[in-house]
Amino acid sequence: MEKFNDAQRLKFYCDDDRCIDCNGCAVACDEAHELPIGVRRRRVITLNEGIQGKEISTSIACMHCEDAPCSLVCPVDCFHIRPDGVVLHDKEVCIGCGYCLYACPFGAPQFPREGIFGAKGAMDKCTMCAGGVNTQTNSEHEFEEYGQNRIAEGKVPVCAAMCSTKALLVGESAIIEQIYLDRVSARGYGVKNIKESPTWKIAYYTKDRV
């Protein structure tokens, strides 16, 4: 794994106080990457549904974790962590064992079912719209296997681009932290230090992973 500057690595964060459970991010991801039925790279979950004042919705996908637990348990070493922190995997190497799914704290790995008996295919997950490993950028093969490569085009991932309330943030760590701090200061409530939020701690601070 290549070393990178934590302040400059790319990270995801969903501002729960802005998420309205519209599922725009999930639909945008499905459409942009032409995902097969049954595979959801991004999904919106709601906690404490129906309980007034406690209901929280948040957008979940691969968080491209520090030290990526999925990569640590992969028996065939199909994962590759880029210098900017994006976690990619090679579908031609993946054997569909499912170890990554058990290790992932966010349930991100997806396994398309093939054939009448539902045999698992190679694992699929969010690529942060960065394409795949060992493929020519923006090639037909890359799109077929991994979907759009918006990062190579200088664009943000489609889920964040389509978020109507800008709840879903993606970008360099230091910038995301500053945007969130400004929001909390403006509205007067929220987790003051993004590093204390559960998803951020689990994904990017391994000593705090549960």
Side-chain angles (χ1 to χ4, degrees), residues 13-20 56-59 167 180 187 199:
Y13 186 72
C14 182
D15 186 346
D16 299 341
D17 291 305
R18 285 198 175 205
C19 182
I20 58 174
I56 298 174
S57 293
T58 190
S59 181
Y180 185 73
R187 64 192 178 210
T199 55

Side-chain angles (χ1 to χ4, degrees), residues 64-174:
H64 301 270
C65 299
E66 175 188 354
D67 85 357
C70 53
S71 70
L72 297 178
V73 301
C74 179
V76 293
D77 196 25
C78 76
F79 288 90
H80 171 70
I81 302 179
R82 302 190 340 172
D84 58 8
V86 176
V87 179
L88 300 177
H89 70 292
D90 190 336
K91 289 188 177 183
E92 294 181 3
V93 175
C94 175
I95 58 175
C97 66
Y99 285 6
C100 54
L101 176 58
Y102 292 115
C104 178
F106 302 101
Q110 303 283 294
F111 292 90
R113 296 288 177 172
E114 301 175 353
I116 192 170
F117 296 110
K120 288 192 300 184
M123 189 270 281
D124 190 281
K125 74 172 188 68
C126 161
T127 65
M128 201 180 276
C129 287
V133 180
N134 300 323
T135 55
Q136 183 179 350
T137 300
N138 288 329
S139 68
E140 184 177 346
H141 175 67
E142 182 180 37
F143 178 81
E144 183 68 25
E145 292 294 321
Y146 304 98
Q148 292 187 15
N149 189 339
R150 292 171 59 89
I151 298 295
E153 299 174 356
K155 300 176 181 177
V156 299
V158 67
C159 54
M162 293 300 292
C163 181
S164 59
T165 61
K166 302 306 176 188
L168 189 56
L169 302 173
V170 60
E172 293 182 1
S173 178

Side-chain angles (χ1 to χ4, degrees), residues 170-184:
V170 60
E172 293 182 1
S173 178
I175 296 176
I176 298 302
E177 291 183 39
Q178 188 59 53
I179 290 174
Y180 185 73
L181 177 62
D182 291 343
R183 288 182 177 183
V184 171

